[in-house]
Amino acid sequence: MLNSQSATLEPLPESCFDSILEASKDKIQEWQTIGLNQMAQNKVAVILLAGGQGTRLGSSAPKGCYNINLPSSKPLFQLQAERIVKLQQLAQQQPGAVANVTIPWYVMTSGPTRPATVAFFQENDYFGLSSENIVFFEQGTLPCLTFDGKIMMESKSQIAVAPDGNGGVYASLRGTGVLANMAERNIEYLHAYCVDNCLVRVADPVFIGYCVQKNADCGAKVVRKTAPEEPVGVVCLRNSAFNVIEYSEIDADVAHAINPKNGQLSFGAANIVNHFYTLDFLNRVESFEGDLEYHIARKKIKSLDFQTGEVIAPKQVNGMKLEMFVFDVFPFTERMAVFEVDRREEFSPLKNAPGTGQDCPETSRRDILQQHVRFIEAAGGKIVIGEDDEQIEGAPTLELSPLVTYSGEGLSIVAGKSIRTPIKINSLEELARAVF
């Protein structure tokens, strides 16, 4: 137990934590089977947090529309949609599966991004999914405040407002009728994630199965911190309750503390905004919503100058936006589960502009292509680098559509054979023709 900035911090209890890095293949398969069986009974749905724009990427479009320059030119929305398509196919193969396995996709937008998001899905024919199983809803807004707590005005007749943060998803799910829609579909388990992770395993059956086996009402997928100083939030106990502690709140001695049992950081479970919920838990949020805290973000906010009547675009920070974070509900969970996964396989966020070298389009592209090389090699195949393969960012140019494989399964056709880059594979038939 350690004290950090007036809070008592404790590492995660062993009873609620497991790591895919330490688990046996049999155990991982057990979790996956449990997850697929739930999907085979149409008990699983997905919540996508997609309210952000690609402003830092130099784009005014919703971030999910962004093309990270894969050989296929598929945007983030398409990669994630095709993973759902593939997962529905895998679940359909489970014994006792319902006649038509569906994994509904609930897409949270902001007010400004909703029209463009909906139009993008329509223009692309919903990326192979049924439109009736994709539900769009908007996150809420909160008033902007001056530093002395007064409400700012955008015009003489309109309050200045801003999106209420990804933690606004809970009220939005309820207020827009999404929770009722889930109940009508007899959904029991939800997977929620942010749109900007190109490696996200949407509705990951291993994660779902793990949380179901643990009888969790709330779950968090985490990755291992790369170093004590890495600027990420950490899932741990704060004043005896589950929480995410921001890196700025963690003192150096806490950040460097080592677990003597495994030699890993005691506070090393890095939060990646990748969560599991039961529908019962999401319905219960309303009972403690009044106890959730708002977080303050000091921003430049366009507002009305009451003396001149003009709307001013400030050059300096002039006000406060109130936000809620999606993990603010963690202290209220009754049965938390925390699942550590391999960062290399599951987490590559897109945060920064092209050319910055970290968490940018180039690293997203590289991480996907390198993963697909590992998929082929793990299945017993050999990669032959073609003379015309530019190997951008050092990754052989080999792209496998999510429609071919969700997480490396089903590639036995490459065993003992080779495949030459650069190449993009859209089907198993194309893969069969490509190997030699």
Side-chain angles (χ1 to χ4, degrees), residues 171-316:
S172 295
L173 287 169
R174 184 176 65 253
T176 59
V178 169
L179 291 182
N181 183 277
M182 292 172 177
E184 290 172 3
R185 295 173 183 261
N186 295 314
I187 298 298
E188 294 184 22
Y189 308 113
L190 289 304
H191 177 230
Y193 68 97
C194 281
V195 72
D196 61 5
N197 178 11
C198 70
L199 293 180
V200 64
R201 294 190 176 176
V202 185
D204 177 15
V206 177
F207 181 42
I208 298 288
Y210 168 73
C211 292
V212 170
Q213 188 179 71
K214 298 285 283 189
N215 191 32
D217 59 0
C218 185
K221 187 179 279 193
V222 299
V223 296
R224 193 171 289 176
K225 283 184 70 172
T226 57
E229 301 81 11
E230 185 183 8
V232 293
V234 172
V235 183
C236 64
L237 296 184
R238 178 177 187 169
N239 298 331
S240 301
F242 289 98
N243 218 315
V244 173
I245 308 302
E246 293 300 326
Y247 65 93
S248 58
E249 300 177 83
I250 301 177
D251 295 338
D253 60 336
V254 176
H256 285 81
I258 298 295
N259 181 344
K261 291 185 177 181
N262 58 18
Q264 301 295 329
L265 294 172
S266 295
F267 297 88
N271 175 50
I272 59 172
V273 194
N274 193 312
H275 301 154
F276 164 92
Y277 310 99
T278 63
L279 183 58
D280 287 343
F281 179 81
L282 291 179
N283 280 311
R284 193 165 63 83
V285 171
E286 185 177 12
S287 68
F288 56 76
E289 211 163 37
D291 296 324
L292 299 178
E293 297 180 355
Y294 291 110
H295 305 270
I296 294 174
R298 292 169 173 80
K299 300 284 187 178
K300 300 174 186 177
I301 302 170
K302 288 183 180 181
S303 62
L304 181 71
D305 185 322
F306 285 99
Q307 293 183 338
T308 65
E310 296 180 356
V311 176
I312 305 298
K315 296 181 179 180
Q316 296 180 332

Side-chain angles (χ1 to χ4, degrees), residues 17-84:
F17 178 84
D18 280 281
S19 174
I20 202 169
L21 300 172
E22 312 295 341
S24 67
K25 289 184 178 180
D26 286 346
K27 194 63 180 177
I28 294 170
Q29 182 62 52
E30 180 183 337
W31 290 328
Q32 178 172 286
T33 299
I34 293 171
L36 287 173
N37 284 339
Q38 300 304 319
M39 295 171 199
Q41 301 304 314
N42 285 352
K43 293 182 178 181
V44 176
V46 175
I47 301 169
L48 169 57
L49 308 176
Q53 293 175 304
T55 308
R56 277 194 275 178
L57 304 171
S59 170
S60 60
K63 190 178 279 190
C65 301
Y66 196 83
N67 172 10
I68 59 175
N69 199 31
L70 288 169
S72 66
S73 297
K74 290 178 180 178
L76 295 174
F77 280 140
Q78 184 170 0
L79 293 173
Q80 294 162 22
E82 291 183 354
R83 287 170 191 156
I84 294 176

Side-chain angles (χ1 to χ4, degrees), residues 103-177:
I103 301 174
W105 202 11
Y106 296 92
V107 181
M108 186 178 80
T109 70
S110 61
T113 63
R114 178 165 183 162
T117 300
V118 174
F120 194 70
F121 273 73
Q122 292 172 338
E123 291 162 7
N124 290 279
D125 198 24
Y126 298 91
F127 307 108
L129 291 166
S130 170
S131 60
E132 66 183 18
N133 293 320
I134 301 177
V135 178
F136 299 95
F137 67 105
E138 285 183 31
Q139 70 184 107
T141 58
L142 289 169
C144 299
L145 304 175
T146 63
F147 291 129
D148 55 0
K150 295 179 180 178
I151 292 177
M152 302 177 78
M153 299 297 293
E154 186 176 294
S155 68
K156 291 182 179 179
S157 60
Q158 189 170 2
I159 292 173
V161 297
D164 55 8
N166 56 24
V169 64
Y170 304 108
S172 295
L173 287 169
R174 184 176 65 253
T176 59

